[in-house]
Amino acid sequence: MERVGKGTELVNTAGQTMEEAVAAIQRVTTLMTDISAASAEQSSGMGQIGEAVQHLDQTTQQNAALVEELSAAARSLQDQARQQVRTIGVFTLAGEAGRSPAHADPAHAPAGHAAHAAPGHLSLRPAQPLLAA
């Protein structure tokens, strides 16, 4: 009978060991499932980060192109302004013929050379003939 008692004990111990092994396998399976889900989330997050970086790159390139366009437009406006100044510079105020366009404005006239036009009266005429007769 002693052998039967020891055999029963061994069977009980083996049963417990098997239950512990099954529980450990279930814990490992749960951990593997959690790791898999976390990896999928991480992969999705990395994909979103990649899309965001790509969007930032596109926006940066668009901004660079706009800066170039604005720079060209500013240069064009500056050239047009210079041309307008040259075009308007051929005119003088009445009574200021022979003076440089910079002195046509009474505020810029040298001391003792006030403008000869009547106050509030501007009479523009070309400083030199526009067309040869």
Side-chain angles (χ1 to χ4, degrees), residues 2 10 15 25 29 32 34-35 37 42 52 66 74 77 91 98 105 107 109 120 122 127-128 130-131 133:
E2 195 179 305
L10 286 173
I25 290 170
T29 301
M32 293 297 288
D34 291 347
I35 289 171
Q42 212 173 31
L66 288 173
L77 285 173
F91 294 97
D105 180 4
L122 292 178
Q128 49 188 307
L130 294 176
L131 298 175

Side-chain angles (χ1 to χ4, degrees), residues 1-19:
M1 269 300 228
E2 195 179 305
R3 284 183 156 183
V4 172
K6 283 197 178 217
T8 302
E9 234 181 88
L10 286 173
V11 168
N12 287 338
T13 304
Q16 264 184 330
T17 303
M18 289 297 281
E19 286 174 8

Side-chain angles (χ1 to χ4, degrees), residues 100-111:
S100 70
H103 296 126
D105 180 4
H108 292 96

